[in-house]
Amino acid sequence: MSAQYGQQDLAFGRSPRKDVCVVNKIVPGLREALAGIHDGASIMIGGFGNAGMPRELIDALIDQGARDLTIVNNNAGNGDTGLAALLAARRVKKIIC
């Protein structure tokens, strides 16, 4: 990366290379982040157990209402938060670990 470009430049769609198109994926909130997720969608969720798990995003997904989801993760959750809450809400059709 050139010294004249920082992380902020790349985040807003500018690239030091003229032949590269950078897609701006920054959204103002959870609702907008989940807008394209529909019934039957496949979603890969990061994290390892409770470490790094996107709890707020999963809670927003439950509130959003999509059903019959295929979830790709390295575990099926534990306790009553995160993936376990998504499973308890009966939103998951299949989980791939």
Side-chain angles (χ1 to χ4, degrees):
M1 180 180 325
S2 170
Q4 68 182 1
Y5 291 92
Q7 287 300 106
Q8 183 178 13
D9 293 316
L10 295 178
F12 287 98
R14 293 185 292 272
S15 171
R17 291 183 46 190
K18 301 295 182 210
D19 61 333
V20 174
C21 178
V22 178
V23 177
N24 182 355
K25 296 182 181 179
I26 296 174
V27 294
L30 292 170
R31 179 179 294 167
E32 293 84 1
L34 299 175
I37 296 179
H38 50 82
D39 289 351
S42 294
I43 305 169
M44 179 176 253
I45 299 176
F48 183 77
N50 287 329
M53 177 181 54
R55 277 193 193 106
E56 291 180 14
L57 194 62
I58 293 171
D59 290 344
L61 184 58
I62 293 169
D63 293 341
Q64 184 252 21
R67 300 189 164 281
D68 297 324
L69 302 171
T70 296
I71 302 296
V72 181
N73 192 282
N74 63 346
N75 66 60
N78 55 20
D80 57 358
T81 62
L83 286 177
L86 195 60
L87 289 165
R90 303 179 102 32
R91 302 298 173 81
V92 179
K93 181 177 182 178
K94 176 170 57 172
I95 187 159
I96 301 171
C97 293

